[in-house]
Amino acid sequence: MSLVDSVSQHIPQILPPFVFEPSLLPDSGAMRGCVDVTFDLRHAGRRDLSIGWESVGPIDAPVVFVAGGISATRHAIASATFADAGWWQAQVGVLDPQHLRIVAIDWLGADGSLDVPIDSADQADAIAAVLNVLAIDTLEAFVGCSYGAMVGLQFAARHGTRLRQLVAISGTHRTHPYASAWRALQRKVVALGQLQCDETHGLSLARQLAMLSYRTPEEFGARFDTEVSIEGGRARCAAEDYLDACGARFVERFDATAYLRLSESIDLHRVDTSQIRVPTTVVAVAQDQLIPVDDAYALIEHIRADTTLRVLHSRYGHDAFLKEHDAIAALLREALVDVCGVAA
Amino acid sequence: MSLVDSVSQHIPQILPPFVFEPSLLPDSGAMRGCVDVTFDLRHAGRRDLSIGWESVGPIDAPVVFVAGGISATRHAIASATFADAGWWQAQVGVLDPQHLRIVAIDWLGADGSLDVPIDSADQADAIAAVLNVLAIDTLEAFVGCSYGAMVGLQFAARHGTRLRQLVAISGTHRTHPYASAWRALQRKVVALGQLQCDETHGLSLARQLAMLSYRTPEEFGARFDTEVSIEGGRARCAAEDYLDACGARFVERFDATAYLRLSESIDLHRVDTSQIRVPTTVVAVAQDQLIPVDDAYALIEHIRADTTLRVLHSRYGHDAFLKEHDAIAALLREALVDVCGVAA
């Protein structure tokens, strides 16, 4: 493990929740903080880093670490203290902060200040550093989706003694050359946009291209008309309003450098699955354009522990974890049945 | 039909082949020319247009019109006169200028001078205008691939009395909303590039994005490594050299305005299939990311003539017509068995 032992641990908000913003609501065991560490990044050498984290739920409850895609944040589930909806709010029925302690981080690089190649292994080590500071020895489960699943696999390979089980949804041990090519072109679009003064233009377009890879022809066929109009002397397709809106929302909250480095991090990802000795549930989506189901088969082949593979069918493709609320909830309940407080 | 009857027909090269560049080689019945007409374009009103055409093979042989994708040209098959390889040279065994007269055009808009919305119906009318000038009353077959298949369907609907049979490969009566969205984003990348002084950058990137839609994850998985290197502080994926080369080759021979208008023309395409009364062979590719096989089923449903549907399986997806030489040759032989000179 390349983590340098806690050279600096600046943790002003690490004491019990009432120190922060106390609330009388029962789910208020919520806290946030930053962990400052010095790290040997896999591809970029030693760096001083600050890792933002959030924890919601009783401090003595079983701990589940949750990780989403590259645009997800430490705020997965709302609480009285941090009341805006989390990125995985739809799963609050299973990831219930009444019974579980849900921990998450902001990805290394998410603030755009780390302009170097970032590896999924670096993220796994960042999570381990946060757990050290929070005095969490062992996770009952790591539930990761998309990039979060990749990081979960790295965590299982690198810090497996601290993990009882992994749930990896729509992410595998390596990236597929076609998916990598698609992301590489998105990054080139961002770079083209950066030649302008306003880099949001390219970033918006890259996000729109990414949306095509996250979703499927089936969804677009059901959702959008085949009619194409002519506006201002140019053809305008039915999906363009939707895609424009996706791009505009994204550039409001995301930085171009962060996008470039986290997109790249997906492509740099690779795990030796024979190093994983943690019981693992793998969820693949048959229609996922980025993660072929064959790669999910290859993933479970060499894991040295119990594995379960579930293949969902969803017109939402790679985004099924954000859209197929009931199916994902059922899978999570099944996987987490042994974690205290999750009703089967 | 919106074609205005031959207001001007500037046809310096329209007399028999020996007028042009005579050759003693048997396949030398090759000629090229331009037809100048005034046209009511479907979306852009009356325009003076020049339509480039090429014909190869005996002037009295059965005539097969051939049309490819938006980047194809009038030069489909090499001849002694025009000796460089044509875009469909691989099919010379079936489209044999010893026995057939092969006619093709340069698409309206292909030279970049027509910066208005262009409809596939306009292309069909342009073909009819060329046939008028060449005194070709009836085509034995129209063989179209991709955009050429769309134009073939328009020709069958608008000029069906001049056509004995249609072979439509990887193109249907309408475009799919997902494919349209993909092309719309490619056009936005070109537009982003046009904000620079050098518009080839955006055009190259758009072509690279288009290549992903023409090919498949299966091909990329078999062809490119999963390893990603770091070069100059940036991740570089295995397919990037290939894609860069595709983009560079494309911008050498294609104009940004032509690309924008012909890409758009695909999205504007729509044919009322109940207007088609010509025997039609439809070839779909199961792995085609732009033309779902379901749309091929929908295409043949309302054609009022004999229809044959063939579904190929190819890792080359939409580009199968350019890559699966033997399978396409077999399909062409089967479809054209009644056309004089094609051996079954």
Side-chain angles (χ1 to χ4, degrees), chain A residues 43 115-117 174-178 180-189 191-196 201-202 205 208-209 211-213 215-218 220-222 224-230 233-240 243-244 257 260-261 264 267-270 289 292, chain B residues 43 115-117 174-178 180-189 191-196 201-202 205 208-209 211-213 215-218 220-222 224-230 233-240 243-244 257 260-261 264 267-270 289 292:
Chain A
H43 308 289
D115 193 13
V116 296
R174 64 176 181 225
T175 54
H176 191 278
Y178 185 84
S180 291
W182 210 335
R183 278 184 296 267
L185 294 181
Q186 290 159 28
R187 295 194 291 273
K188 287 183 178 178
V189 170
L192 176 61
Q194 285 177 325
L195 298 176
Q196 313 291 334
H201 191 158
L205 255 181
Q208 295 178 57
L209 287 162
M211 287 306 299
L212 289 191
S213 70
R215 301 301 177 86
T216 69
E218 292 82 349
F220 274 55
F224 298 110
D225 200 74
T226 58
E227 288 292 348
V228 171
S229 59
I230 296 178
R234 297 272 171 201
R236 186 161 178 88
C237 304
E240 285 187 64
L243 290 170
D244 281 345
T257 299
L260 290 172
R261 291 306 185 179
E264 187 179 72
D267 292 319
L268 292 170
H269 169 73
R270 178 171 282 250
Q289 302 198 80
Chain B
H43 308 289
D115 194 12
V116 295
R174 63 173 183 227
T175 55
H176 190 277
Y178 185 85
S180 291
W182 210 334
R183 279 184 294 268
L185 294 181
Q186 289 159 28
R187 295 194 292 273
K188 286 185 179 179
V189 170
L192 176 60
Q194 285 177 325
L195 298 176
Q196 313 290 331
H201 191 159
L205 256 181
Q208 294 178 58
L209 287 162
M211 287 306 298
L212 289 191
S213 69
R215 300 302 177 86
T216 68
E218 293 83 348
F220 274 55
F224 299 110
D225 201 76
T226 58
E227 288 292 347
V228 171
S229 59
I230 295 179
R234 297 273 171 199
R236 187 162 177 88
C237 304
E240 285 187 65
L243 290 170
D244 280 346
T257 299
L260 290 172
R261 291 307 186 178
E264 187 179 70
D267 292 319
L268 292 171
H269 169 72
R270 177 172 283 248
Q289 301 198 80

Side-chain angles (χ1 to χ4, degrees), chain B residues 41-52:
Chain B
L41 292 178
R42 191 164 184 170
H43 308 289
R46 190 157 295 198
R47 302 274 164 169
D48 295 326
L49 302 165
S50 180
I51 309 157

Side-chain angles (χ1 to χ4, degrees), chain B residues 133-314:
Chain B
V133 169
L134 298 183
I136 296 169
D137 184 57
T138 306
L139 297 171
E140 288 300 316
F142 187 124
V143 181
C145 312
S146 188
Y147 183 59
M150 296 174 174
V151 173
L153 290 162
Q154 287 284 16
F155 190 90
R158 298 168 74 84
H159 308 283
T161 57
R162 305 183 71 168
L163 179 60
R164 291 204 207 284
Q165 68 162 312
L166 172 66
V167 181
I169 302 172
S170 298
T172 58
H173 54 303
R174 63 173 183 227
T175 55
H176 190 277
Y178 185 85
S180 291
W182 210 334
R183 279 184 294 268
L185 294 181
Q186 289 159 28
R187 295 194 292 273
K188 286 185 179 179
V189 170
V190 174
L192 176 60
Q194 285 177 325
L195 298 176
Q196 313 290 331
C197 295
D198 174 16
E199 71 181 7
T200 61
H201 191 159
L203 183 61
S204 167
L205 256 181
R207 175 64 171 187
Q208 294 178 58
L209 287 162
M211 287 306 298
L212 289 191
S213 69
Y214 298 154
R215 300 302 177 86
T216 68
E218 293 83 348
E219 187 209 0
F220 274 55
R223 182 171 180 171
F224 299 110
D225 201 76
T226 58
E227 288 292 347
V228 171
S229 59
I230 295 179
E231 293 177 21
R234 297 273 171 199
R236 187 162 177 88
C237 304
E240 285 187 65
D241 285 352
Y242 164 74
L243 290 170
D244 280 346
C246 289
R249 274 199 310 273
F250 190 71
V251 300
E252 277 176 15
R253 66 188 177 90
F254 225 82
D255 172 87
T257 299
Y259 183 78
L260 290 172
R261 291 307 186 178
L262 288 172
S263 163
E264 187 179 70
S265 182
I266 299 171
D267 292 319
L268 292 171
H269 169 72
R270 177 172 283 248
V271 177
D272 177 356
T273 53
S274 69
Q275 299 302 309
I276 299 177
R277 293 176 170 78
V278 176
T280 300
T281 299
V282 174
V283 179
V285 178
Q287 291 80 5
D288 190 334
Q289 301 198 80
L290 297 175
I291 313 282
V293 173
D294 277 355
D295 282 1
Y297 288 121
L299 164 60
I300 62 171
E301 200 173 355
H302 297 295
I303 291 177
R304 297 186 183 180
D306 285 347
T307 58
T308 304
L309 174 62
R310 293 278 179 261
V311 179
L312 281 184
H313 286 262
S314 170

